Amino acid sequence: MNVNPQNTQTQKRVRFDKMMMSSYGTMIAGVAIIIIFSILSPTSFATLDNFINITRQISFLVIIGIGATLVMSVKEFDLSIGAMASFGGVIAAKMAASGASIILCLLVPVMIGFVIGFFNGAIITKFKVLSFVTTLAMGTILGGFTFWFTGGSTIFENIPDSFKFIGQTNVAGIPLLSIIMFIMVLVFWYVMSQMAIGRRFYAIGGNERASQVSGINISLYKNLAFALCGMLSALTGALLASRLGSAHPTGGNGFFLNAYAAVFLGMTIVKNGVPNVMGTLFGAAIIGIMANGLTILEIPTFLQDVITGIIIISALIIQKLGRD
């Protein structure tokens, strides 16, 4: 049977175009967004100070997004991360108002978040309950407790300046929050790419049955994934309270959807289709750049949400088309 060389060449070109679209489509779109905003607002957007400011703005989203990445790496979801961030924030703010040291104000919420996250994982693995149902219920419990704990009001009285230090301090012109964010990215990139725990997370997410047969303790590692997610979510809330000098009982709820949006965007940029820390960083950066640029252009908040949602859906469609 004769093979038409022209048809073969066309098929190769189509496959190559799909591969490029899948691997680099979102990254190219991100660069295009930066160029557009730079042209529309060169004196406000395209400045070093603004890009440094964007790193601080996305620091909370990146940290909580890393937690979501860990849970998604084992093919699960944690819908309580927003409520956990709110909970961590009010615990930290209450402790600060009572005179506790800033170390304790950060450490206690983180430890509580770790324990609650581990408990989430234990329920899911022991009783084989769907993760989104379990964590949705836990988020509801945390939301109710946080509202009771604060009386439904913002905590802002008697917050010492020492508590605001981490959230409001710059080091050599770089926000301390940005430095913490990059440290977290490097630490968890190393954990997920170089350490056995990360490889086992990915093995479980890739094929749970095969992982179990190979001797991996599925329950333990899933529990750890949820525990680390809870820890990072509570830390995000505490850092947000430090930045604002206050804590609202629903202050962290807005991170929930954006955190998973960052993870899904990251899956279209790095390690196509696989949750990964560096991808989450880039995904959060795209979301942060969008929000910053649209705010500078004085675009209404509701329209910002619409545009951001369209970009996320478009990125996922591009990835899907590239893989077909």
Side-chain angles (χ1 to χ4, degrees):
M1 183 177 65
N2 294 329
V3 178
N4 190 327
Q6 186 174 359
N7 288 340
T8 303
Q9 192 67 25
T10 301
Q11 291 173 357
K12 289 181 178 179
R13 188 181 301 112
V14 169
R15 285 197 297 268
F16 177 77
D17 290 343
K18 284 187 174 182
M19 182 191 71
M20 292 294 291
M21 181 172 59
S22 176
S23 301
Y24 302 106
T26 304
M27 190 175 295
I28 293 170
V31 173
I33 290 169
I34 294 174
I35 293 173
I36 291 170
F37 284 141
S38 298
I39 293 172
L40 294 176
S41 185
T43 58
S44 298
F45 179 82
T47 65
L48 178 60
D49 287 343
N50 188 50
F51 283 115
I52 291 175
N53 182 48
I54 289 173
T55 65
R56 176 166 53 195
Q57 291 173 344
I58 69 171
S59 59
F60 309 112
L61 180 57
V62 171
I63 294 171
I64 198 171
I66 291 173
T69 302
L70 300 181
V71 170
M72 285 189 63
S73 70
V74 295
K75 287 291 178 70
E76 301 287 357
F77 285 93
D78 188 342
L79 304 189
S80 68
I81 58 176
M84 181 68 78
S86 300
F87 174 75
V90 300
I91 293 294
K94 276 282 191 181
M95 291 183 64
S98 67
S101 69
I102 189 170
I103 294 176
L104 279 178
C105 291
L106 296 177
L107 186 60
V108 170
V110 163
M111 292 175 62
I112 295 174
F114 186 91
V115 171
I116 293 175
F118 197 92
F119 182 70
N120 277 338
I123 293 175
I124 291 162
T125 55
K126 182 173 180 60
F127 298 104
K128 308 301 180 185
V129 183
L130 293 175
S131 60
F132 74 87
V133 175
T134 303
T135 55
L136 179 62
M138 181 58 72
T140 304
I141 293 170
L142 287 172
F145 178 83
T146 303
F147 190 86
W148 167 80
F149 189 63
T150 61
S153 59
T154 301
I155 301 171
F156 62 90
E157 293 181 346
N158 303 319
I159 302 292
D161 290 338
S162 59
F163 178 69
K164 304 174 188 176
F165 177 80
I166 290 180
Q168 301 180 7
T169 299
N170 290 353
V171 178
I174 306 297
L176 185 54
L177 285 173
S178 301
I179 295 172
I180 292 172
M181 174 191 72
F182 285 119
I183 290 173
M184 288 292 176
V185 168
L186 290 175
V187 167
F188 282 96
W189 167 81
Y190 185 82
V191 167
M192 294 300 289
S193 63
Q194 304 297 320
M195 295 181 64
I197 182 174
R199 291 193 290 270
R200 286 168 184 168
F201 282 172
Y202 282 128
I204 292 169
N207 190 323
E208 184 173 324
R209 178 60 183 165
S211 300
Q212 189 173 28
V213 171
S214 67
I216 295 176
N217 188 330
I218 305 296
S219 296
L220 174 62
Y221 286 99
K222 280 195 174 184
N223 293 353
L224 283 175
F226 279 99
L228 291 172
C229 181
M231 178 188 78
L232 290 169
S233 300
L235 175 62
T236 300
L239 292 175
L240 178 63
S242 176
R243 171 63 183 162
L244 299 177
S246 64
H248 190 273
T250 60
N253 292 8
F255 289 120
F256 164 62
L257 289 177
N258 280 342
Y260 281 102
V263 177
F264 279 113
L265 275 176
M267 289 165 58
T268 69
I269 300 173
V270 183
K271 290 186 178 180
N272 200 353
V274 179
N276 64 95
V277 173
M278 286 299 174
T280 298
L281 171 63
F282 289 127
I286 290 175
I287 293 173
I289 289 168
M290 279 291 302
N292 179 270
L294 292 173
T295 300
I296 289 174
L297 295 176
E298 299 182 348
I299 303 298
T301 303
F302 75 89
L303 194 54
Q304 293 183 29
D305 293 339
V306 172
I307 295 173
T308 303
I310 290 172
I311 288 176
I312 293 169
I313 292 173
S314 300
L316 294 174
I317 291 174
I318 288 172
Q319 181 197 39
K320 176 64 178 177
L321 290 175
R323 294 170 65 182
D324 290 342

